[in-house]
Amino acid sequence: MKKQGIALWQKIFFLLLPLTVLAVFLATQAALRINFRETISGEIERSRWEHSFFCTGVQNKLSYEKSASGNPFLGKEGIGRALVQMTSEQTANSAQGLAVYQNKSCIAFSNTPFELRSGPLLEDLEKKPLDSQECRVVLRNEKNLYYTVSASLLPIENESYELFTVREITSVYQNQARAVRTVEVFLFFFTLIAALFFYFALQLLLSPLRHVNSGIQEIAGGNYSLRLSPKGSAEFRSLSRNINRMARSVEENIEQVQNLADSRKRFIDNLAHEMKTPLTSILGFADLLRVKRSVSEKQRREFAGAIVEEAKRLQSLSGKLMELIFAESAKPDCREIPLEELFREISLSVSPLLARRGVRLLVNCPGGSLWADRELLKSCLYNLIDNAAKASKEGEEIELSCSFLSDYVLFSVSDWGMGMDEKTVRRATEPFYMADKSRSRKNGGAGLGLSLCARIAELHGGSLRIKSKLHEGTTVFLSLPKDRPSREESESISSGRKEASNEEAS
Amino acid sequence: MPSIFIVEDDENIAKMIEATLSMVGYDCEKCPDGKEAVQRILEGRFDLILLDVMLPGLDGFEILSKIKMKGVPVIFLTALQDVGDKVKGLRSGAEDYIVKPFETVELLARIEVVLRRTGKNRKKLSYLDIEIDLEKHLVTKGGHAVALTPKEFDVLVFFMQNLDIAVTRERLLAAVWGYEFEGESRTVDIHVQQVRRKLGLKGRLVTIPKLGYRLESL
C-alpha cells in the first residue's frame, strides 16, 4: 500500500479535512455577517429614534419659547436664534452632532465632525427629496470612523428647515473586526483539532484493513492454514470471512496436489525398487558368468536359474504394469455378458495355473447375465483366482461364486489357505504392497494384482472388499452394479475414476 | 581374509553378492531381516557390512544408527538414486554407497577401497613367486625387487586382488586412473604390457577378446 503513492487514509483525510474546515468557515462567516447586519440595522433604528427625539425636542422648545415670549410668531430671526441656542443645549450632554439647514445653508450646528449636508446623504437627497414625515438614515465613513447620518424635514411657521443628526458607530465596526479575528483564531485551532481527530479516527477505522492485508501477505507467503479473525466493521468482517474461505480452498487444493504428488512419488519409488531388484540379480549373475574364469556346472545352473527367475519377475511386472496402465486409460466397453459363458472362459484360462499348483476350482454359477467390460472383468477374476491359488496348499479348493442382490451382482472368490492379518488386508490394494516379499517374488508376484482388481471394480462403479482371517482363508467380494449404466452415469463413472485415480495415484 | 556381512532381503541378490565375494576369497554371511541383522552384527566380528536400504523390519538407516558404536564400516546398497539419500547415508556414517544394479567388479573395487581405508584389507599379496607389500609399496619377484612406475604398481595390485576375474579396460581405467580420467584404453594396454614384460607374466596375464584381461591362477 505504501509503495502505491497516496494511501487510502491520506485520500480520505485530504478530502474530508478541507471540506469540514470550509463548511465551518462558511457557517461562521454567515453568522458573523447576519449578526453584523442586525447590529447595524439596530444602530440605524436607534439613530432614527434619537433623531425623532431631537425633532420633538426642537418642536417643544419652540412652543415653549413662543409661550414664554407671548408671541405666537417668532419670525425668521427669532427662530434662528432659538435653533442655535437649542442645538448647543441639546448636544451639550451627548455624543450626538446636530445641524439645522434652511435653503442649503447651515443655520445652526453643534458637535458635528464634518459637513453633514454632503457626501452620500446629499446625493441621496438630490435623487429623492425628503417628504414631510420621512426620516432618512445613511451610513458614512469618514477618516476610518463610522457614522450614521439622519435627516428629516422640520416645518416651523410655514418655513421648511432640514434637521440633521450624526452619531458615531465606529465601535460596532471595531467589534465586528474583533469578532472576525476571534473566528480566524478559532478556525485555526479547529483545523488542527479536526486534523488530529480525522487522523486517529481513520487509523482506527482502517486498522482492520492492515490486519487483513498482513494476513493475506502471510497466506500468499505459503502459510495456507492461517485464518483471519473477523475484526472491525461489517465490510471488513465479511472480507476476512471471504479471505478465510479462499485460503481454505487454496489449502485444500494444495493438500490434494501434495497428496497426489506424494503418492505418485511413492509409486515411482516402488516401481524403481521393483525393477531394480530383479535387474541387480540378473546383471550380477550374468556378469559373474562373464568374468569368472571357471564356472562349475552347479554354479552355472544356479546362476542361470536365478537369471531366468528374475527375468520372469520383470516380465510379470511389466505385464501387470501394462494392464494397470490400460485400466487407467481405457473406458470400460460395457456389454451384456452371460454369466455361464464368462465362468466357462475363466475356468478354461485358469486351468493350467490350477493344475500347476494342484488346486481345484469350484464354480457356483446362478445363470443370468450382467453388464460389464468383458476383458477387464475376466482379468480381475483371473487375478483373484490366481491370488487364491497362491495362498492355497496343494490339494485345497477355491470357490468362485456369484449371486444377484437387489442392485448389485456380487462375485466372491474364496480360499481356505493361509489368510492375512488385518494390517495386510488394509494395505492389500496398495500398489506394490506385498505381505511376504520373498514368497510373492518366488511366485512371480509384483504386488500389483489386487490394486489392478480394485481399479477395475472402480471403473465399473463397483467395489472390492476383502474378508480374511490368518490361517483360515480369504474371501474377496467384487460387487458390480446390476443395471446397465446409463450414458450420464457411465460418464460420471469415468470422471469419478479420474478423481479416484488422482486420490490414489496408482 | 576379511569377513563381510551381507544384509539383503532379496534372496537372489544376496546369493549373487555372496558368489561374487567368495570368488575373490572373502568370508561371507547373509541375513535377510533387519532386526536379526542388528543382533548378529553386535555379537559377531565383521570387517565390513553391505547393507540394503529397503528392508523388512528395520530399514538400513535404522540399522546403521543401532550398530554405529561397533565401528564396522558400512556400504549401503540402494535402488534409490536420490542425491538426498546419498547424503543421508554418508552423513549417518556409511563409508560408501552403491546403486543397484551394479557390476561385479565395481562392487569388489568399492569393497577393496573401503577395506584399505579402514586398514582391514590384506597387507601383503602374493602370486606365484611375486610378492607385493602394500604398505611399503614394494614388489619382489623371486626375492628380487622389481622397479615399477606407480600406475604399473596399481595395475598389478588390481589384477592380483581380482585373481581369475576378467577385468574390462574401462573398469581398470576407473580403478587405477579414477573415474574422471578421460584417457584412451590404449593407455591401459601399454601399462598391462609393461607389467606383463617386467614380471614375466606372459601366458598368465591373458588378454580376453572383446572383454579385457585376466590374471589367471595355476
Side-chain angles (χ1 to χ4, degrees), chain B residues 117-171:
Chain B
R117 198 188 302 151
T118 53
K120 285 185 174 164
N121 65 336
R122 294 163 284 182
K123 304 284 185 289
K124 286 188 171 142
L125 298 169
S126 64
Y127 171 75
L128 300 178
D129 58 345
I130 301 168
E131 286 198 353
I132 300 179
D133 190 322
L134 287 169
E135 283 178 328
K136 291 182 185 163
H137 232 259
L138 203 67
V139 183
T140 56
K141 182 175 162 66
H144 302 286
V146 181
L148 291 177
T149 67
K151 289 287 179 241
E152 286 164 4
F153 179 82
D154 289 344
V155 169
L156 180 63
V157 169
F158 193 72
F159 277 119
M160 284 175 66
Q161 280 168 342
N162 293 289
L163 198 63
D164 279 334
I165 297 173
V167 176
T168 62
R169 289 181 175 82
E170 290 73 33
R171 177 55 55 203

Side-chain angles (χ1 to χ4, degrees), chain A residues 159-219:
Chain A
E159 290 285 340
S160 182
Y161 296 86
E162 286 169 331
L163 179 66
F164 289 90
T165 57
V166 64
R167 206 164 65 85
E168 193 186 335
I169 54 161
T170 310
S171 67
V172 171
Y173 282 85
Q174 281 169 343
N175 281 344
Q176 174 69 5
R178 241 193 329 270
V180 167
R181 267 199 305 282
T182 311
V183 163
E184 277 169 0
V185 171
F186 162 77
L187 217 58
F188 174 75
F189 283 109
F190 173 81
T191 309
L192 277 183
I193 290 167
L196 281 174
F197 173 77
F198 280 135
Y199 176 77
F200 285 112
L202 282 172
Q203 296 298 319
L204 199 70
L205 283 175
L206 294 178
S207 73
L209 192 63
R210 272 195 295 281
H211 166 73
V212 166
N213 193 30
S214 69
I216 291 176
Q217 262 174 4
E218 200 171 324
I219 291 170

Side-chain angles (χ1 to χ4, degrees), chain A residues 43-59 90 96-100 116 121 130 132-138 148-154 161-167:
Chain A
E43 288 296 330
I44 286 171
E45 271 316 300
R46 191 176 154 198
S47 297
R48 197 188 301 274
W49 182 78
E50 281 184 4
H51 185 87
S52 71
F53 177 75
F54 274 121
C55 283
T56 320
V58 168
Q59 296 282 14
Q90 285 289 334
Q96 305 268 129
L98 190 66
V100 182
L116 292 186
L121 182 57
L130 281 166
S132 57
Q133 297 302 314
E134 190 188 2
C135 174
R136 193 169 297 177
V137 186
V138 296
T148 55
V149 184
S150 318
S152 68
L153 290 178
L154 192 63
Y161 296 86
E162 286 169 331
L163 179 66
F164 289 90
T165 57
V166 64
R167 206 164 65 85

Side-chain angles (χ1 to χ4, degrees), chain A residues 35-46:
Chain A
N35 184 43
F36 180 64
R37 207 174 298 146
E38 272 176 7
T39 311
I40 291 292
S41 70
E43 288 296 330
I44 286 171
E45 271 316 300
R46 191 176 154 198

Side-chain angles (χ1 to χ4, degrees), chain A residues 301-401:
Chain A
R301 243 182 317 181
E302 189 189 335
F303 294 177
I307 289 172
V308 170
E309 191 182 305
E310 296 296 326
K312 274 188 179 161
R313 205 169 121 196
L314 265 185
Q315 185 188 28
S316 142
L317 174 67
S318 74
K320 278 285 174 353
L321 263 182
M322 291 310 289
E323 273 186 77
L324 201 58
I325 289 165
F326 176 73
E328 285 286 345
S329 58
K331 244 185 175 174
D333 175 24
C334 289
R335 283 168 204 287
E336 195 171 14
I337 312 169
L339 264 184
E340 292 209 19
E341 199 182 311
L342 178 75
F343 276 26
R344 203 165 45 242
E345 281 177 27
I346 288 172
S347 308
L348 202 69
S349 64
V350 294
S351 63
L353 181 139
L354 297 172
R356 199 162 59 237
R357 296 195 162 270
V359 178
R360 226 153 52 82
L361 179 69
L362 306 175
V363 179
N364 176 12
C365 178
S369 63
L370 82 162
W371 283 87
D373 185 305
R374 195 185 196 107
E375 288 313 310
L376 288 179
L377 182 58
K378 268 168 71 181
S379 162
C380 180
L381 291 173
Y382 180 92
N383 271 298
L384 294 179
I385 294 168
D386 185 29
N387 281 346
K390 281 173 188 168
S392 303
K393 283 196 273 295
E394 202 167 328
E396 287 184 337
E397 288 171 340
I398 298 170
E399 187 182 356
L400 167 65
S401 68

Side-chain angles (χ1 to χ4, degrees), chain A residues 265 273 276-277 279-281 283-285 287-288 290-293 302-303 306 309-310 313 441-442, chain B residues 10-13 15-16 19-20 23 54 79 81 100-104 164-166 211 214 216-217:
Chain A
K265 182 170 174 359
H273 186 258
K276 281 184 177 181
T277 307
L279 266 179
T280 305
S281 291
L283 186 67
F285 281 120
D287 204 30
L288 274 177
R290 183 176 70 145
V291 300
K292 216 164 181 285
R293 186 183 168 198
E302 189 189 335
F303 294 177
E309 191 182 305
E310 296 296 326
R313 205 169 121 196
R441 283 174 187 163
K442 231 172 255 164
Chain B
D10 188 273
E11 203 180 317
N12 276 330
I13 294 181
K15 246 194 254 173
M16 183 271 290
T20 307
M23 188 168 67
M54 269 189 170
Q81 257 163 325
K100 295 176 187 174
F102 45 81
E103 278 178 59
T104 309
D164 279 334
I165 297 173
L211 192 55
R214 180 163 60 207
E216 294 181 342
S217 57

Side-chain angles (χ1 to χ4, degrees), chain B residues 110-123:
Chain B
R110 297 284 187 99
I111 291 171
E112 195 67 45
V113 168
V114 170
L115 286 177
R116 196 189 308 153
R117 198 188 302 151
T118 53
K120 285 185 174 164
N121 65 336
R122 294 163 284 182
K123 304 284 185 289

